[in-house]
Amino acid sequence: MRLPQKVFKIDTYLPPGDAFHFIRKTLPETPPVLEHSHDYYELFLVEQGQVHHWINGLEELLEPGHLAFIRPHDRHALQAAPGTGGRILNVMFRKPTADHLVQRYAADMEGKFFWTKAEFPASIRLAGPQKERAVNAMLALQSSHRSLAMIEHFLLSMMTHVLDATARAQDRAPAWLIHAAHAAREPRVFRQGAEGLIAAAGRSQAHVCREARRHLGLSPTQYVNRIRIQHAAMMLSGTSQPIANVAEDCGFENLSYFHKLFREQYGTTPRGYRQRHAKSAPIDAPI
């Protein structure tokens, strides 16, 4: 399953004279989830709850204190994990600001933070005083003048003071798990359940289970079932197929089990979801 995609433009969100955009937002728990790239840089911090993050084909579960440096070409989407009240602090700024900083402070920043050449953007998990410093620094933007001087001061502070020498980028999932997680979003794989993901990983069931829980926050069965139910939700809102056919198309032979999982994930029955979302249009949002 591919998420709807869009490219966001910073001029849509910045009034004349502003150098950055800041928002403190509680994320929705239900679709539509809009995968997007940008023409700007973005820094977000998970303040509370848990957040599902789709990033360049990988889905990961983020905890409070997780800080991500999103580059313009990255494709990502965010959604709160059900029942957790996932909330983020988010700041967006123009490319020339980033270009200026990395040129002026190349020795300290080139190849790091926003300027890594890796497949996935830099990601740091903060805790304790570091997390508090980061939250306070970001919340200070909420009431500040949105000037170029302010955003440059903030970014320099974050990358030299808040993220002191003990902070380092977190290792994301191994390549084989990324491949398997990406493959599991295809119907031919997720219809097989957890067995499809494990086969795509090419590793033992025990090893896949251990690494999936570590990096995705879910067992292979839970991960694949989330994808299957998301696919079902998309079909319910976008087609008129009978619910039993939707369940079968997603790989569920037991209709009662399908209803149970759907209610757990969306807080309503498949029929109730269809009635509520069948005519809903995707919500555009800059995060």
Side-chain angles (χ1 to χ4, degrees):
M1 179 180 70
R2 292 188 61 81
L3 300 175
Q5 297 184 41
K6 187 169 183 176
V7 178
F8 287 119
K9 307 289 187 180
I10 198 165
D11 286 339
T12 305
Y13 309 107
L14 291 189
D18 280 14
F20 67 92
H21 175 81
F22 174 83
I23 187 170
R24 186 184 199 183
K25 182 171 183 177
T26 299
L27 299 171
E29 296 182 0
T30 57
V33 177
L34 188 64
E35 184 181 56
H36 58 275
S37 56
H38 327 98
D39 67 350
Y40 53 84
Y41 286 85
E42 176 182 355
L43 180 69
F44 75 81
L45 173 72
V46 179
E47 184 182 14
Q48 70 174 32
Q50 294 178 317
V51 173
H52 291 289
H53 186 215
W54 288 265
I55 177 69
N56 297 343
L58 171 70
E59 181 183 356
E60 56 186 359
L61 184 68
L62 306 184
E63 303 281 350
H66 195 113
L67 185 70
F69 297 79
I70 307 300
R71 305 159 297 188
H73 65 272
D74 290 317
R75 296 175 293 100
H76 79 133
L78 295 163
Q79 180 180 320
T84 68
R87 186 170 69 205
I88 65 168
L89 305 176
N90 178 277
V91 60
M92 312 180 324
F93 59 97
R94 300 180 188 277
K95 290 177 67 175
T97 302
D99 294 342
H100 169 74
L101 289 176
V102 75
Q103 289 168 9
R104 185 172 179 83
Y105 305 102
D108 295 309
M109 298 182 185
E110 194 167 26
K112 305 174 185 177
F113 306 115
F114 294 105
W115 304 282
T116 174
K117 303 298 184 183
E119 179 181 4
F120 294 97
S123 168
I124 296 173
R125 179 73 182 279
L126 306 178
Q130 270 195 334
K131 178 188 171 186
E132 293 306 311
R133 290 201 300 269
V135 169
N136 291 337
M138 295 190 79
L139 288 178
L141 295 177
Q142 196 165 22
S143 57
S144 72
H145 180 52
R146 311 240 161 148
S147 65
L148 185 60
M150 188 64 193
I151 187 60
E152 288 192 3
H153 170 76
F154 164 76
L155 291 169
L156 286 172
S157 176
M158 285 291 289
M159 292 183 285
T160 60
H161 172 62
V162 173
L163 306 178
D164 59 28
T166 63
R168 59 186 181 86
Q170 298 285 298
D171 291 331
R172 276 194 166 87
W176 60 264
L177 183 57
I178 294 172
H179 168 77
H182 186 72
R185 306 198 72 83
E186 298 297 329
R188 62 179 178 79
V189 177
F190 68 62
R191 286 178 184 135
Q192 303 174 51
E195 289 77 10
L197 185 148
I198 293 169
R203 302 294 192 280
S204 71
Q205 180 175 348
H207 188 49
V208 175
C209 289
R210 183 169 58 251
E211 292 299 296
R213 287 188 180 279
R214 176 186 174 190
H215 294 285
L216 305 177
L218 301 166
S219 70
T221 296
Q222 291 170 327
Y223 182 79
V224 173
N225 279 344
R226 285 193 72 253
I227 293 171
R228 296 159 97 185
I229 294 299
Q230 288 169 356
H231 187 77
M234 184 176 67
M235 293 182 66
L236 289 167
S237 63
T239 76
S240 58
Q241 287 193 42
I243 291 173
N245 289 9
V246 170
E248 183 179 0
D249 188 74
C250 295
F252 291 102
E253 297 179 359
N254 187 317
L255 192 57
S256 296
Y257 184 51
F258 169 71
H259 276 261
K260 174 179 179 292
L261 291 178
F262 197 96
R263 181 180 286 277
E264 287 176 354
Q265 189 155 325
Y266 290 110
T268 185
T269 64
R271 185 179 302 278
Y273 183 91
R274 168 170 274 169
Q275 292 172 345
R276 186 184 309 169
H277 294 277
K279 296 182 180 180
S280 297
I283 300 172
D284 292 355
I287 57 175

